[in-house]
Amino acid sequence: MAPTGQWYGRTFAGGMRGSKQIALTYDDGPNDPHTMKLLDVLAKHGVRATFFMIGHYVQQRPDIARAVAQAGHVVGNHTFTHPLLIFKSAEQTRTELVKCRSALQDAIGEHSNLFRPPFGGRRPATLRVARSLGWRR
Ligand SMILES: [Zn+2]
């Protein structure tokens, strides 16, 4: 459950030491009206961010997902229904990742190969499934 923990496999949890750059990331969208309001704020300040989206919401609002991608932000996979993956079987985890990837593909086409487990919850089987689907690190 610790997002920065590396016990169950290597996961990205930060940048270069001493760097003054930060990465802005937003989870759980797309949501109406919050995501579009956020896009306005980011555009106003000329900032790009990464949006980890829930596939079920992407299916409901593909227009918002497209707006995020068209604004130049990175879009990543945050599962289809946002479950706590430590309690899911390998097959359930695979389904969550594949369905979200498919929803993103349908809505925006090519997108990043980034995956963020809901709540930071993962275990070795979670990462094995992610690796088997092409996610690395
Ligand atoms: Zn989340």
Side-chain angles (χ1 to χ4, degrees):
M1 293 303 296
T4 58
Q6 303 291 316
W7 313 286
Y8 297 145
R10 292 180 59 198
T11 53
F12 181 77
M16 293 175 29
R17 174 168 278 170
S19 171
K20 294 189 177 189
Q21 293 184 320
I22 61 167
L24 292 178
T25 66
Y26 299 95
D27 295 0
D28 302 350
N31 303 110
D32 186 17
H34 307 294
T35 304
M36 294 306 290
K37 288 182 178 178
L38 180 55
L39 288 182
D40 289 343
V41 171
L42 293 171
K44 179 179 172 190
H45 296 281
V47 173
R48 298 265 168 84
T50 302
F51 289 76
F52 289 94
M53 295 188 180
I54 297 172
H56 179 66
Y57 292 161
V58 172
Q59 283 186 339
Q60 290 178 340
R61 293 304 305 264
D63 56 318
I64 298 177
R66 271 192 294 279
V68 170
Q70 286 169 356
H73 301 290
V74 175
V75 175
N77 188 318
H78 199 44
T79 72
F80 191 73
T81 64
H82 204 268
L84 186 49
L85 293 174
I86 59 174
F87 298 124
K88 297 296 179 187
S89 70
E91 193 52 43
Q92 289 170 317
T93 298
R94 175 180 299 274
T95 298
E96 286 286 336
L97 294 179
V98 168
K99 285 182 75 175
C100 183
R101 182 160 67 188
S102 178
L104 288 171
Q105 190 69 36
D106 290 347
I108 65 173
E110 283 299 309
H111 56 280
S112 82
N113 202 18
L114 297 173
F115 157 57
R116 174 175 280 171
F119 314 104
R122 62 203 184 279
R123 58 191 177 99
T126 311
L127 299 179
R128 272 195 300 276
V129 169
R131 279 193 298 274
S132 77
L133 294 169
W135 277 279
R136 291 182 289 121
R137 186 105 197 266

